[in-house]
Structures are given as C-alpha cells and as structure tokens.
Amino acid sequence: GVGFTSVYQITDAPELLYEPEHWLLNEMAPPEERLRACDGACGRDHEASGTTFVLPWARAISPLRATLEVPPIHDAAIADLEAALLEDASRILPFLQHVTTVEVETRDQRCHVSRSPTDDGFVIADDEGESRWLTLKTNFAGAAGAVIAGSAGLIKPERPTDITIALPLSGEAHPGVLYATLPTQTASGLPGHVNASFFPKTDRKSVRFENGYDSEWNRAVIAAVGQGLAASSPQLADSIGIAAFWDFLGAISDFDRRADPDQPNHASTYLEALRKVIPGLPVVETIEGSRATPRDVLLPAETELYGAVQALSQLGLAVVAEQLHRRLHTNNVYTAYEIRPLSARHIVERLASKDITEVFDPKSGPLNLDQVLQLLAALERLPGKVANLDGVERVALVPCRNGLI
C-alpha cells in the first residue's frame, strides 16, 4: 500500500526481518526475483523478537531512483526526516490499535513515547512529561448505511463506523486534526482530534471533501461528530469542569470565525448541533454556586456589576458567575446559546415580583441598606434610563432620611 511504497523516497533496498526470516526486496528485479531470502551472511540478528524493517539510505543515483524520478537522499534530507520523526512521535500514537510505544533514535538524539489507557481516555508520555486526553465515542452506522447504499459497491459494508474524539485535559487550546488512524493535515475544527475511517487523499496528507462517495462518507463522519458532541455535552461539562467547557465552546467558535472560506468549515457543523442542545443544559455556574441552563441566566455587561452580587442573589436572580464572565463575552459566545444580558428591567421586575413595593425598614426588611445601595449602583451602570422603565415608580428602592426605604 501507500504506507509501504513511500519508503522508496529514502531507500532502494528495503529489508524485512521477523524471527527467523529475513527478506530483501529489489523492485528492479524480475517479478519472480523481487523478494529474496537472506543467505544468512548479512550479519543481522535473525533471532530478535518482533518485526524489523531495515531501510538503507539511498545515497547514490540508481536505476530505481531514475525510474521513480526521485533524487538520492542527502544529509540535509536525512536531518529533516530525523527532526520530523522526533517531533511527530507523540502525534502518531493516540489512535494506533496495536502500537503503544514508539522509540526514535537518531545520530544525536533519542526519544521514547508511550500511550497508556485511563478510565476516560489515555495518557501520552514522552521524555518531557505527560499529556492527558479525554475521549468521547460515537458512531454513525445509520448515516453510513445510506452512503454505502449509494456508493454502487465502492464502499464495503463492513467499513468501520466508530468515531473517537480526543480532547486534551491540560494546556492551551490548539487546533486539532483529523486522523485516519494516523494523523492528516486536515484541521478537525476542534481543540482536539477526531479519528474515524476517513477516506484520505492518495498522499494521506489530507482528507477528501470534494465530490464523490468518499467525500460524502467523510462529511457524514463530521456531521456525526457534531451530533456526538451535542449528546456528550453533559458528560463533557462534568469531566472537564464548567469553565473549561465554555473555553471548549469558545475555541470552536473561534475556529469557526477564522475558518478559511475556501475550505470545509467543520467547526460550523459542530456549532449547529451544539446550539440546539446547550441552551437547555445546566452548564452555567451562577453567583450562588449552583448550575442553571443558559436560557435561564443573566450575564452582566461589566465586571463592576458583580459588586452587587449580594443584592442580586438576595433577589433570586440567576446571574452568571464572575469566573465565566470573560469567557462568555469573548467573541460574544453567550449570544449563540440564548444567554441574556442583565438589564435594569430584570432588577425592577424582580423587585416587583418579590413585593418590594412598600416602605420597609432595611434592618428587618427584604433588603438591607448595603444591598439597596448595591442595586442603586448597578442600576446606575446598566444601559438606559431607569426612570423610563415601566413599574420603576412602584418599587421601594429609595433610601430616606428617616432610615426607611
């Protein structure tokens, strides 16, 4: 396959050892002579466990390189390859089925990378530390069946339909990529990776999203990722925490905003699915420390309004917790999930609904003097003229000289 024939970029004579066999390949020999068994005089260890590929550097021009129109390998190219292997060793491990350890040894460096399972994902460990990943599983068997039926037999019915989404549990959000077991260069539209049975292009560097059965299959995967994220949102919020959950949604929104108009916008697909369910999920922390749904909370426009948190809590207003304020205002993320801005009207209406419409003593009444002053300061900061609000003249909120409100 493509994965093996690519070795001819660097070698003319690949070798394969698996105890006790040793085979040598010569692509320029007649077909019946291309695969030759070692005569035992090579000096290599034929009893070593496991499988070993030996790829001698093709440093000189040869009939094979002339036929393939590939230049000989030189020191600079070898150095580039070594650097790439060292850099990418940890990137290839997340979704490999039978390989859990990769060791790369070059002329002057060595690295060891391993993957270990956890209850909710996996850990990638290398010489510099560990990174923990959360995995979410979904499946698109239903949608895949329709694509297979319309492929005129070009997609095998047994093609896998499982999807794994891997999200980092530490560090800053970075754009992830799509994996077809091994990573491609196609952006995932997430601050994490997506692995599925994608149809890649022939160079395996990117995933097809043009026309045809294979592109239709790949688009069905992306749609299923969005549905899987939406279905897994409660679990995800519990696993990574509410603040990180909104960072996650904010990162997808940022990828959507910065998407290349000439490329498929996967982030937009995910957001369409997420916006249908997030408003009704208890994924917002409030000033009282409880959780509420986005459509039931109010978001202050300024952090200074949190100076009235005691009074707002006393009135029973479900106000977004201060630690989420910046996250929700960044790129106006809150507007996509039915979160409403806190307004003077909300305060006045809640005062009326609490029957705070008669003169009261702040020492024993529904609000103390500090809370009244907090509300007055908040009303002063909120947009619009409070005097123009319907019903404001009926609520008790004016401190008097006799000490009453």
Side-chain angles (χ1 to χ4, degrees):
V2 173
F4 185 77
T5 57
S6 62
V7 303
Y8 292 110
Q9 297 291 320
I10 62 171
T11 189
D12 286 350
E15 303 176 28
L16 171 63
L17 292 90
Y18 58 99
E19 53 177 318
E21 306 290 339
H22 180 190
W23 297 92
L24 299 90
L25 282 72
N26 180 1
E27 292 288 350
M28 298 304 292
E32 66 276 6
E33 299 177 10
R34 287 178 184 170
L35 188 61
R36 178 173 61 85
C38 175
D39 59 10
C42 65
R44 303 194 190 280
D45 184 1
H46 287 193
E47 302 301 326
S49 61
T51 300
T52 301
F53 289 95
V54 180
L55 308 175
W57 298 118
R59 289 182 172 274
I61 191 65
S62 66
L64 177 62
R65 310 206 79 62
T67 300
L68 296 177
E69 299 181 348
V70 178
I73 198 80
H74 48 77
D75 288 343
I78 293 173
D80 289 343
L81 180 60
E82 289 177 340
L85 290 171
L86 289 166
E87 181 180 354
D88 292 342
S90 61
R91 295 181 63 243
I92 69 172
L93 267 183
F95 306 108
L96 293 179
Q97 297 180 13
H98 305 294
V99 177
T100 58
T101 301
V102 172
E103 197 168 328
V104 179
E105 184 173 356
T106 68
R107 292 166 292 182
D108 54 6
Q109 283 184 269
R110 182 176 183 176
C111 77
H112 181 277
V113 185
S114 63
R115 184 190 73 233
S116 304
T118 62
D119 291 341
D120 57 2
F122 58 85
V123 171
I124 299 291
D126 58 24
D127 300 330
E128 298 181 357
E130 293 183 349
S131 60
R132 186 163 173 254
W133 295 74
L134 172 73
T135 56
L136 305 173
K137 306 282 188 178
T138 189
N139 190 289
F140 73 115
V147 179
I148 292 171
S151 69
L154 295 175
I155 302 178
K156 295 181 179 179
E158 62 270 19
R159 190 174 183 86
T161 56
D162 292 329
I163 302 170
T164 302
I165 304 163
L167 304 174
L169 292 178
S170 60
E172 297 181 2
H174 296 288
V177 297
L178 301 181
Y179 277 65
T181 303
L182 291 171
T184 71
Q185 296 175 1
T186 300
S188 67
L190 292 173
H193 306 310
V194 175
N195 181 59
S197 58
F198 288 109
F199 283 98
K201 294 184 178 180
T202 53
D203 62 4
R204 295 190 62 84
K205 291 182 179 181
S206 58
V207 174
R208 294 184 180 277
F209 287 102
E210 298 90 15
N211 297 318
Y213 69 91
D214 44 7
S215 294
E216 186 178 353
W217 176 274
N218 293 339
R219 281 189 286 269
V221 175
I222 295 300
V225 171
Q227 295 162 7
L229 288 171
S232 301
S233 288
Q235 170 199 347
L236 181 59
D238 289 340
S239 296
I240 66 177
I242 296 297
F245 179 73
W246 284 101
D247 282 340
F248 170 73
L249 294 179
I252 302 176
S253 297
D254 192 44
F255 296 150
D256 174 45
R257 184 174 58 86
R258 294 185 295 152
D260 184 342
D262 295 326
Q263 299 295 325
N265 185 352
H266 305 319
S268 176
T269 300
Y270 310 147
L271 290 174
E272 182 180 356
L274 289 165
R275 287 167 180 163
K276 293 177 180 178
V277 300
I278 297 297
L281 298 177
V283 291
V284 180
E285 290 174 344
T286 70
I287 54 176
E288 293 188 332
S290 60
R291 286 193 188 184
T293 67
R295 61 169 56 106
D296 290 331
V297 298
L298 301 169
L299 178 65
E302 306 172 353
T303 55
E304 287 77 9
L305 289 167
Y306 285 99
V309 64
Q310 185 183 21
L312 296 172
S313 179
Q314 182 68 16
L315 289 179
L317 288 170
V319 176
V320 173
E322 187 172 2
Q323 63 266 26
L324 294 180
H325 184 268
R326 179 188 60 80
R327 292 176 170 88
L328 293 177
H329 272 291
T330 301
N331 296 328
N332 292 324
V333 167
Y334 74 94
T335 61
Y337 300 99
E338 301 182 28
I339 296 176
R340 296 167 295 161
L342 175 66
S343 68
R345 177 177 58 82
H346 294 120
I347 295 176
V348 171
E349 288 180 352
R350 184 53 60 97
L351 287 167
S353 69
K354 291 277 189 179
D355 292 326
I356 305 178
T357 55
E358 302 291 340
V359 175
F360 67 89
D361 186 342
K363 295 179 181 178
S364 58
L367 298 170
N368 61 39
L369 182 58
D370 284 342
Q371 291 168 345
V372 170
L373 295 177
Q374 288 176 14
L375 290 177
L376 289 172
L379 290 171
E380 185 71 21
R381 299 195 71 92
L382 288 168
K385 289 187 177 181
V386 176
N388 294 335
L389 287 174
D390 290 340
V392 69
E393 74 281 359
R394 293 192 295 273
V395 299
L397 202 60
V398 180
C400 301
R401 289 183 177 180
N402 61 4
L404 299 179
I405 306 298

